[in-house]
Amino acid sequence: MKRGRELKLKSKEVYENIKNEILFLNFKPGDSIKEKYFEEKFSVSRTPVREAFLKLKQEGLIEIFPQKGTFISLIDINLIKQVYFLRKNLEVPILKEIICIKENKDFLFKLTQIIEKQKYLIQQNGKIEEIILSDMEFHKEIFSFAQKQELWNFILSYFNDFIRIKVLTYKNFKMEKIINEHSLILKILENKNEEEIINYSNLHFSVAEIELNKVVQMYSDYFN
């Protein structure tokens, strides 16, 4: 029984490690990967690696072709655009809803703490993984405060390609933009300015679309 739990834990660790390497582009879209490489890297048998590959295939992160090999999936540009659409049409009404909540000091303080953490990470040249996770933490807090956690979980289910886009974006554009955007959201919420939410939304998603198009041009081989 104990060995069974250890094997299950090992399989989970192998899966999470490979997934993170894909999401944060240690392996590029289209790259070929082999089970043997991960067996040696993690000092495990074939079973946990194979289980990880099958799960990653189900999530759309890898493609397995008999007689040809296993490859990192290309980024689905149409899915990315739908995620942007989904976020815009969910997050803006939620922000407008939060403005109407009187008791929000603790919530605003949490957002301030997250922004300060982001400033520190950028100033210290923190890992891009940590910066992206702190970005997601900020938006998760917004959904959670509005008691819309399940909506956030729904969005997360489509975030694999979105995270890979974030990595490419932050590698090619100034990371300080995260702080500027989040600070603007915080200011709007503090001032309870509903009109500014709409203005911010239009600007934010317009800029995001411009950056997305530039990234697609720069890394055209990464997209399908």
Side-chain angles (χ1 to χ4, degrees):
M1 182 69 73
K2 183 179 178 181
R3 179 167 177 77
R5 287 198 299 269
E6 290 175 348
L7 183 60
K8 188 175 181 180
L9 180 61
K10 195 70 174 179
S11 296
K12 183 179 179 182
E13 290 173 352
V14 169
Y15 156 75
E16 289 177 347
N17 274 278
I18 299 175
K19 181 174 182 176
N20 283 335
E21 292 204 45
I22 295 172
L23 291 182
F24 297 106
L25 300 184
N26 293 328
F27 292 103
K28 308 296 188 294
D31 278 357
S32 171
I33 56 174
K34 299 183 183 298
E35 291 181 2
K36 188 69 175 175
Y37 168 81
F38 294 106
E39 291 169 23
E40 295 175 355
K41 179 174 183 177
F42 299 121
S43 300
V44 295
S45 66
R46 189 180 185 186
T47 299
V49 176
R50 174 162 286 189
E51 289 177 351
F53 272 33
L54 290 174
K55 193 167 183 179
L56 292 167
K57 180 185 177 184
Q58 291 173 352
E59 294 183 15
L61 284 172
I62 66 172
E63 295 181 275
I64 301 174
F65 299 99
Q67 312 305 321
K68 287 184 64 177
T70 301
F71 300 86
I72 306 298
S73 298
L74 298 178
I75 297 172
D76 188 338
I77 187 63
N78 289 323
L79 180 61
I80 292 298
K81 289 180 178 179
Q82 290 180 60
V83 170
Y84 278 151
F85 178 84
L86 184 63
R87 281 193 59 195
K88 179 179 180 179
N89 285 278
L90 285 176
E91 195 160 319
V92 175
I94 287 173
L95 287 170
K96 290 170 68 176
E97 183 180 315
I98 288 174
I99 279 180
C100 299
I101 301 175
K102 292 182 179 180
E103 298 298 325
N104 63 359
K105 288 184 179 180
D106 290 344
F107 164 67
L108 296 178
F109 179 69
K110 285 182 181 179
L111 293 188
T112 302
Q113 285 184 310
I114 294 171
I115 292 172
E116 290 304 314
K117 177 183 176 182
Q118 291 166 350
K119 288 179 181 178
Y120 175 79
L121 288 171
I122 292 173
Q123 289 170 355
Q124 299 298 317
N125 295 316
K127 292 181 179 179
I128 196 166
E129 294 95 322
E130 295 176 323
I131 295 170
I132 289 175
L133 291 175
S134 71
D135 183 3
M136 293 170 64
E137 181 184 2
F138 184 88
H139 294 280
K140 176 185 176 182
E141 191 62 42
I142 289 171
F143 279 77
S144 295
F145 180 71
Q147 298 184 343
K148 301 291 192 298
Q149 181 65 46
E150 289 306 314
L151 284 178
W152 176 252
N153 292 339
F154 177 73
I155 292 174
L156 277 184
S157 67
Y158 293 94
F159 252 41
N160 284 340
D161 278 355
F162 188 79
I163 290 175
R164 294 199 284 175
I165 283 289
K166 283 284 189 183
V167 174
L168 292 173
T169 301
Y170 293 157
K171 281 185 175 180
N172 292 280
F173 300 96
K174 290 184 178 180
M175 290 190 183
E176 285 78 5
K177 69 184 288 293
I178 310 171
I179 296 171
N180 295 335
E181 290 173 359
H182 290 173
S183 297
L184 179 57
I185 293 175
L186 179 60
K187 184 178 179 181
I188 291 171
L189 292 174
E190 287 173 337
N191 294 336
K192 297 186 177 297
N193 192 325
E194 188 172 320
E195 184 180 347
E196 279 300 311
I197 286 180
I198 299 172
N199 294 335
Y200 158 78
S201 170
N202 291 334
L203 174 63
H204 172 69
F205 287 98
S206 294
V207 171
E209 187 173 347
I210 291 170
E211 291 178 348
L212 174 61
N213 291 333
K214 287 181 179 179
V215 165
V216 172
Q217 290 177 352
M218 294 167 67
Y219 301 93
S220 58
D221 291 344
Y222 289 2
F223 296 87
N224 59 15

